[in-house]
Amino acid sequence: MAGSNSPNSSVSSPPPPPEQNQPSKHWGVTKSLSHVGPTNVDIHRNRELQKFLLDSGIYESAEESAKRELVLEKLKQIVKVWVKQLTRIKGYSDQMVEDANAAIFTFGSYRLGVHGPGSDIDTLCVGPSYINREEDFFYGLHCILNEIEEVTELQPIPDARVPVMKFKFDGIPIDLLYASVSLLVVPDDFDISNISVLYNIDETTACSLNGCRVADQILKLVPNVENFRTTLQCLKFWAKRRGIYSNVMGFLGGVNWAILVARLCQFYPQANPSMLVYRFFRVYTMWRWPNAVTLCEIEHNALGFTVWDPRINAWDGLHLMPIITPAYPCMNSSYNVSASTLRVMLEQFQFGKNICEDIELNKLKWSALFEPYSFFESYKNFLQVEMIASDLDDLRSWKGWVESRLRQLILKIERDTGEILQCHPNPRDYADSSKQCAHSAFFMGLQRKQGEVVQEGQQFDIRKTVDEFRHQIKSYLYRKPGMEIYVSHVRRKQIPSYAYPEGYKRNRNTKPINEVLQVDKMSTVSVLKRKKIDGPELERSPEKRASVGPKLQDSVLSERICARSSVVEKASMIRPCVFVDGVNKQVDPTILKNVRLASNGRDMKLDRDKEPNATVAMVLKSGEGVGSELVQTNVMSNRLSLTSNA
């Protein structure tokens, strides 16, 4: 399979995989669930899976692999020249200028060896202590890269949680981070896994270094690197097809999937990829979230960095799906997950489990597992978030800003409706090529929470919620004239045609979000009735030039989707708690109900010295496991709509 083992060559090589592993070796924080290896049937099924993945084109060609290595070598030379120039400018001696150096490391999918065609390369530049991120990296190196013909789409993001410079180098997408370590000279053989690299640095620099350190640890903590890589590539491909691959949208990203798969490999050290894929869905549909997934013991070091620990940090106890990184300082890599996105992922895990069971019975082929999720056929009501800008460069930064804040909109809607109105964001963006301006749009499916009693005249009014979101979006520090945003409520039949790549046409009439959606109690299916609400004119900034996009509608950024205050008051009552090592933690009532089902109605007290999910072995053997949220029916047939007029 071309591209499945792309080494980082001279730039930074991952630790060598263990070729032979002793069966007695202990993997992870608990004993393995099974040491059973593949049968002849499993081997045959694995060959079929490998062939399907190869035919699906998830592996890059040898030519593209060679091109990536060449690009990384060029980038390595560029940063070396940049550091030497700055060393001379800052007045250091000729000897210091000669010795000055910077090192390039890779992390993420490329370092793990699971990247595919068109994937970006996550890179980290490690420089000496006298070269800083704010001026030297985001200004000095930015200017150098901007003059290089092969570099395009250069986009610095200095205010991100982990500051990054994004660009394409000869067509290869690059995400470049910078970390200044407490050394005057960075050697070519710099050991980034050594704990000493964290001395005398700040939290932001520690986060920048963490990606490489985490990737190294993951490869060291899995029993069979090749099986890990194939399984991870398979499940990443599946997650993208099912619309749940996006950390920024509140789903799971690359490192999250890598840790989940690595933990599974620890549970089943002798299993081949086809066995691991099935067991992935079986284990994680039974996993009792919010118990954490960890690959090793969480280390507390005297360096004083914040480490994920709900016993110490109350905020950590609110995380719904903690997946903990294995390198110090250990962090929750999935803090973005919300109640709505957790529900969607659990439904998709159940879908995967059902399909894999049929594959095991030879009722279905592997292709059935990777059927694309029919997002627009799964809901009858949507929020449409459109962005426009004067040109593609402006749209790229504007869209990135809006996308990074959509998760906050979901959380606010959940908060303001007492978690009764659920949102399902579609990670994919869509563009209308017929517009003269640069354009992009996101969609979010809407539905009422299952099991809720429909009250007569029930409404969900989220005008203030969207106004708050609008205010946050308008605070973008780098906003330029022409950058505008439109939020609308659309029904399924009003989805614009550009959202259907095959050209499936829909009525494109959309109403502004300034409307009320009412739930009709008299219908067995919830029905949305809409009426026009007058609203104030959208404020225009006098110093900004007129938008090149469509004419703004009255209160187009103001949403009104329904909810009586009594419903919100009822939902905002004090929620039950689970005690995790002495931490009083509020959790979703549905999660608590299922935790109690699994513990025969008793509140659970988790032992700090044992992995919370150590009992999953008994669950898997008995088949009586209960997940964090019950999935009663196949997700493909479980469609609760808010309207009957789709």
Side-chain angles (χ1 to χ4, degrees), residues 534-554:
D534 294 331
E537 288 283 326
L538 177 68
E539 296 179 359
R540 282 184 176 272
S541 177
E543 66 274 10
K544 294 184 182 293
R545 71 171 183 248
S547 167
V548 295
K551 185 178 179 181
L552 294 174
Q553 304 178 48
D554 293 347

Side-chain angles (χ1 to χ4, degrees), residues 398 401-406 467-477 479 484-485:
W398 181 234
W401 168 255
V402 174
E403 182 181 20
S404 69
R405 296 300 180 270
L406 283 178
D467 283 342
E468 186 178 341
F469 173 68
R470 175 186 62 177
H471 180 75
Q472 185 182 40
I473 294 299
K474 291 173 66 176
S475 68
Y476 182 45
L477 185 62
R479 188 183 180 195
E484 300 292 349
I485 181 171

Side-chain angles (χ1 to χ4, degrees), residues 111-238:
R111 190 173 186 84
L112 292 173
V114 295
H115 59 286
S119 299
D120 60 0
I121 306 179
D122 295 312
T123 55
L124 169 70
C125 176
V126 177
S129 57
Y130 56 87
I131 294 182
N132 63 57
R133 181 187 300 107
E134 291 74 17
E135 296 177 3
D136 299 331
F137 179 72
F138 278 112
Y139 179 74
L141 184 58
H142 177 273
C143 291
I144 292 175
L145 292 173
N146 202 38
E147 296 298 320
I148 298 175
E149 184 178 356
E150 298 161 295
V151 174
T152 59
E153 300 182 17
L154 184 59
Q155 180 188 2
I157 312 177
D159 55 347
R161 181 174 179 267
V162 181
V164 61
M165 194 136 56
K166 293 176 174 286
F167 55 93
K168 287 186 177 180
F169 198 120
D170 197 15
I172 302 293
I174 303 285
D175 283 1
L176 180 61
L177 281 58
Y178 179 74
S180 175
V181 296
S182 55
L183 295 173
L184 287 177
V185 178
V186 178
D188 284 327
D189 59 351
F190 182 72
D191 183 8
I192 201 168
S193 296
N194 195 306
I195 193 69
S196 64
V197 304
L198 301 177
Y199 292 166
N200 301 319
I201 63 173
D202 57 22
E203 292 270 0
T204 302
T205 302
C207 289
S208 299
L209 291 166
N210 206 35
C212 298
R213 291 166 51 78
V214 166
D216 282 351
Q217 279 297 102
I218 290 175
L219 292 174
K220 291 175 182 177
L221 292 170
V222 295
N224 186 305
V225 173
E226 290 309 310
N227 286 345
F228 163 76
R229 284 173 171 162
T230 302
T231 306
L232 179 54
Q233 285 173 307
C234 174
L235 288 167
K236 285 178 61 176
F237 180 50
W238 173 83

Side-chain angles (χ1 to χ4, degrees), residues 290-294 297-300 305-325 327-335 580-581 585 606 612:
N291 289 337
V293 174
T294 57
E297 296 292 344
I298 296 177
E299 178 184 356
H300 291 76
F305 288 106
T306 302
V307 174
W308 186 88
D309 192 339
R311 299 168 300 178
I312 300 173
N313 309 311
W315 184 255
D316 291 344
L318 299 177
H319 295 165
L320 300 179
M321 195 181 191
I323 301 171
I324 311 305
T325 56
Y328 177 83
C330 298
M331 308 172 185
N332 178 21
S333 61
S334 54
Y335 65 90
V580 181
D581 288 332
K585 173 177 177 179
L606 302 181

Side-chain angles (χ1 to χ4, degrees), residues 388-391 393-394 397-398 476-484 544-545:
I388 60 171
S390 300
D391 53 49
D393 287 336
D394 285 355
S397 59
W398 181 234
Y476 182 45
L477 185 62
Y478 306 101
R479 188 183 180 195
K480 296 180 181 180
M483 292 181 176
E484 300 292 349
K544 294 184 182 293
R545 71 171 183 248

Side-chain angles (χ1 to χ4, degrees), residues 404-572:
S404 69
R405 296 300 180 270
L406 283 178
R407 170 180 164 269
Q408 296 299 323
L409 176 60
I410 296 170
L411 293 175
K412 293 177 193 300
I413 291 176
E414 291 177 351
R415 175 200 67 191
D416 295 344
T417 64
E419 299 185 0
I420 298 176
L421 185 62
Q422 297 178 327
C423 302
H424 178 176
N426 187 348
R428 177 179 174 180
D429 63 295
Y430 300 85
D432 187 353
S433 58
S434 66
K435 293 185 181 295
Q436 295 182 350
C437 57
H439 170 273
S440 186
F442 291 107
F443 293 86
M444 291 192 293
L446 301 174
Q447 72 174 13
R448 179 176 55 82
K449 185 177 181 180
Q450 298 183 31
E452 290 294 322
V453 177
V454 181
Q455 301 183 14
E456 186 173 1
Q458 180 179 352
Q459 298 180 349
F460 299 97
D461 187 347
I462 61 171
R463 284 181 300 178
K464 291 183 180 180
T465 306
V466 175
D467 283 342
E468 186 178 341
F469 173 68
R470 175 186 62 177
H471 180 75
Q472 185 182 40
I473 294 299
K474 291 173 66 176
S475 68
Y476 182 45
L477 185 62
Y478 306 101
R479 188 183 180 195
K480 296 180 181 180
M483 292 181 176
E484 300 292 349
I485 181 171
Y486 304 86
V487 182
S488 304
H489 164 253
V490 294
R491 296 185 179 182
R492 186 195 296 168
K493 64 183 179 183
Q494 298 168 321
I495 295 296
S497 59
Y498 62 77
Y500 297 91
E502 292 77 17
Y504 186 66
K505 301 297 182 181
R506 290 287 191 183
N507 186 344
R508 299 189 60 176
N509 288 331
T510 64
K511 293 188 178 181
I513 215 65
N514 187 29
E515 60 190 6
V516 169
L517 308 180
Q518 287 189 324
V519 179
D520 185 357
K521 181 182 177 181
M522 302 307 294
S523 175
T524 56
V525 179
S526 302
V527 178
L528 283 170
K529 298 180 179 178
R530 307 195 292 174
K531 63 180 180 181
K532 184 73 175 178
I533 298 293
D534 294 331
E537 288 283 326
L538 177 68
E539 296 179 359
R540 282 184 176 272
S541 177
E543 66 274 10
K544 294 184 182 293
R545 71 171 183 248
S547 167
V548 295
K551 185 178 179 181
L552 294 174
Q553 304 178 48
D554 293 347
S555 295
V556 73
L557 296 178
S558 173
E559 163 78 21
R560 206 177 193 184
I561 299 187
C562 299
R564 277 188 178 176
S565 59
S566 61
V567 176
V568 176
E569 290 171 1
K570 176 182 177 182
S572 63

Side-chain angles (χ1 to χ4, degrees), residues 239-451:
K240 292 174 182 177
R241 299 282 282 182
R242 303 302 296 175
I244 56 173
Y245 189 93
S246 173
N247 185 277
V248 70
M249 286 283 196
F251 296 112
L252 301 182
V255 67
N256 311 128
W257 291 102
I259 294 173
L260 290 182
V261 172
R263 186 68 184 113
L264 190 77
C265 291
Q266 292 178 341
F267 281 143
Y268 303 97
Q270 303 299 324
N272 69 8
S274 68
M275 298 167 65
L276 289 170
V277 168
Y278 173 44
R279 282 155 180 76
F280 177 92
F281 297 117
R282 191 178 177 191
V283 167
Y284 291 116
T285 52
M286 296 177 181
W287 197 269
R288 297 185 181 109
W289 307 105
N291 289 337
V293 174
T294 57
L295 298 180
C296 57
E297 296 292 344
I298 296 177
E299 178 184 356
H300 291 76
N301 194 286
L303 292 177
F305 288 106
T306 302
V307 174
W308 186 88
D309 192 339
R311 299 168 300 178
I312 300 173
N313 309 311
W315 184 255
D316 291 344
L318 299 177
H319 295 165
L320 300 179
M321 195 181 191
I323 301 171
I324 311 305
T325 56
Y328 177 83
C330 298
M331 308 172 185
N332 178 21
S333 61
S334 54
Y335 65 90
N336 276 349
V337 173
S338 68
S340 287
T341 53
L342 176 60
R343 170 189 63 86
V344 173
M345 286 188 287
L346 291 176
E347 289 178 345
Q348 291 303 320
F349 288 173
Q350 183 65 36
F351 166 81
K353 179 175 177 287
N354 294 343
I355 295 296
C356 283
E357 287 175 350
D358 285 342
I359 293 174
E360 291 266 310
L361 297 173
N362 294 320
K363 293 181 179 180
L364 293 173
K365 298 293 185 182
W366 282 112
S367 58
L369 181 63
F370 299 90
E371 282 295 320
Y373 180 64
S374 302
F375 178 78
F376 292 112
E377 299 304 316
S378 301
Y379 296 91
K380 294 187 177 181
N381 292 274
F382 302 86
L383 281 185
Q384 177 179 328
V385 181
E386 292 185 279
M387 301 141 287
I388 60 171
S390 300
D391 53 49
L392 291 177
D393 287 336
D394 285 355
L395 179 65
R396 192 175 300 110
S397 59
W398 181 234
K399 182 177 71 173
W401 168 255
V402 174
E403 182 181 20
S404 69
R405 296 300 180 270
L406 283 178
R407 170 180 164 269
Q408 296 299 323
L409 176 60
I410 296 170
L411 293 175
K412 293 177 193 300
I413 291 176
E414 291 177 351
R415 175 200 67 191
D416 295 344
T417 64
E419 299 185 0
I420 298 176
L421 185 62
Q422 297 178 327
C423 302
H424 178 176
N426 187 348
R428 177 179 174 180
D429 63 295
Y430 300 85
D432 187 353
S433 58
S434 66
K435 293 185 181 295
Q436 295 182 350
C437 57
H439 170 273
S440 186
F442 291 107
F443 293 86
M444 291 192 293
L446 301 174
Q447 72 174 13
R448 179 176 55 82
K449 185 177 181 180
Q450 298 183 31

